[in-house]
Amino acid sequence: MGDSAPIGIFDSGLGGLTVLREVLNLLPGEDVIYFGDTARTPYGSRPPAEILRFLHEILPFFSAQQVKLAIIACNTMKAIGFEQAGTKVPFLLTGVNYGARAALAASRNKRIGVMATAATIASGKHVQAIKAEEPAAAVAVQACPRLVPLIEQGKLFGPELESAVTDYLLPLKEAAIDALILGCTHYPFIIPVIRQVMGPDVVLIDPARETAAEARTTLAHHDKLTTRAQGRVRLCFSADLPRAEQFVAGAIEFPWAEELSLRFELVNLLDYR
């Protein structure tokens, strides 16, 4: 009969919507609850202890929704809190893929770049994942603290964004990388600007598809895939619901959009402590 409980996806704000899009592509029958912490975005410049506190405030919300699986669609939060969080929840937990295997498969010279938030870069998780697969790989990393705030404001193009992307990516270009991991789920929204700076010879790795595939594999392994043909989507945010609705309408092309019923909600995490 399958498992009809919903899947949860959460992020510091709007970036995890790129993971949601891929989940809907691979698992169209699943009900999905998305939570974006728009009241406190960005996470990437915050201390680890604070990010962990946010994580442990979000997980009870998904426990209350009785999800069967939750996906940490925030690289920063996964890098800092995934290991301890997975042992404390009554549902399956997975996180955004680091993109190491995809980057190494795409790279000709095993020179990999990683762009991410400051906290994600400081964790060293991407470098560890790449080196675990290919110890001889050369990895160049770049923290990009200005990008998430710009993307959250809906500035997906224009001089301000182009200037920030150029400042951050020129060192990676000078490092002669030929594959670049987008180490934050917000960054796929600005791929055209990133391509403009990096040129056509650098392969951009968006781990969202691999993340969705891992979620499907996890559900199948535990016999928790639904048998429904069409699921429903709840989009929950901790602040500024009109801005979230506007962003979704302008920046996200969901699969089977005409049939998809999106439900927007404002959520106060204090209600779930």
Side-chain angles (χ1 to χ4, degrees):
M1 294 178 60
D3 191 325
S4 61
I7 296 171
I9 302 174
F10 61 99
D11 179 58
S12 64
L14 302 169
L17 294 168
T18 59
V19 175
L20 171 62
R21 180 172 54 197
E22 296 301 330
V23 168
L24 295 179
N25 269 319
L26 286 179
L27 299 166
E30 300 287 352
D31 284 349
V32 183
I33 302 170
Y34 179 86
F35 175 76
D37 196 4
T38 42
R40 301 184 292 199
T41 192
Y43 285 177
S45 58
R46 296 179 182 271
E50 189 172 32
I51 296 168
L52 283 173
R53 177 167 64 83
F54 294 168
L55 174 62
H56 292 297
E57 290 173 354
I58 293 170
L59 293 175
F61 166 72
F62 284 110
S63 293
Q65 311 311 308
Q66 299 183 323
V67 301
K68 57 187 173 184
L69 167 75
I71 303 171
I72 303 177
C74 172
N75 286 267
T76 298
M77 190 166 274
K78 182 194 175 182
I80 291 171
F82 178 74
E83 284 79 6
Q84 64 167 266
T87 64
K88 298 180 179 180
V89 292
F91 46 81
L92 300 169
L93 190 69
T94 187
V96 64
N97 186 281
Y98 288 126
R101 291 183 180 178
L104 287 165
S107 174
R108 300 179 303 277
N109 59 21
K110 305 310 177 202
R111 300 185 67 85
I112 312 298
V114 180
M115 59 182 301
T117 68
T120 298
I121 293 297
S123 77
K125 296 293 187 178
H126 283 85
V127 176
Q128 294 170 22
I130 294 167
K131 292 289 189 178
E133 297 288 335
E134 177 51 77
V139 186
V141 300
Q142 179 63 56
C144 308
R146 287 151 54 196
L147 296 187
V148 169
L150 289 171
I151 294 166
E152 286 282 327
Q153 295 167 30
K155 297 180 180 179
L156 307 184
F157 51 86
E160 188 177 5
L161 178 69
E162 292 170 6
S163 175
V165 171
T166 300
D167 288 346
Y168 292 137
L169 295 190
L170 281 183
L172 296 181
K173 190 170 185 178
E174 292 169 358
I177 65 168
D178 64 358
L180 175 60
I181 297 173
L182 307 182
C184 173
T185 52
H186 285 75
Y187 297 167
F189 289 122
I190 58 169
I191 280 178
V193 179
I194 295 171
R195 286 196 187 280
Q196 180 179 313
V197 175
M198 297 306 297
D201 296 330
V202 175
V203 180
L204 303 184
I205 306 298
D206 174 8
R209 185 167 299 178
E210 286 80 5
T211 302
E214 288 179 2
R216 181 175 61 181
T217 298
T218 299
L219 290 171
H221 178 74
H222 291 273
D223 195 25
K224 288 184 175 293
L225 288 168
T226 187
T227 56
R228 282 189 305 259
Q230 177 83 47
R232 297 163 296 179
V233 179
R234 290 171 55 195
L235 297 173
C236 304
F237 301 91
S238 55
D240 206 350
L241 202 58
R243 178 171 63 87
E245 293 187 36
Q246 183 179 22
F247 187 94
V248 169
I252 293 285
E253 292 183 8
F254 285 120
W256 33 275
E258 292 183 0
E259 296 81 18
L260 186 63
S261 176
L262 298 178
R263 176 179 161 191
F264 288 84
E265 298 178 31
L266 194 64
V267 168
N268 184 351
L269 294 177
L270 296 178
D271 294 339
Y272 298 92
R273 286 186 175 178

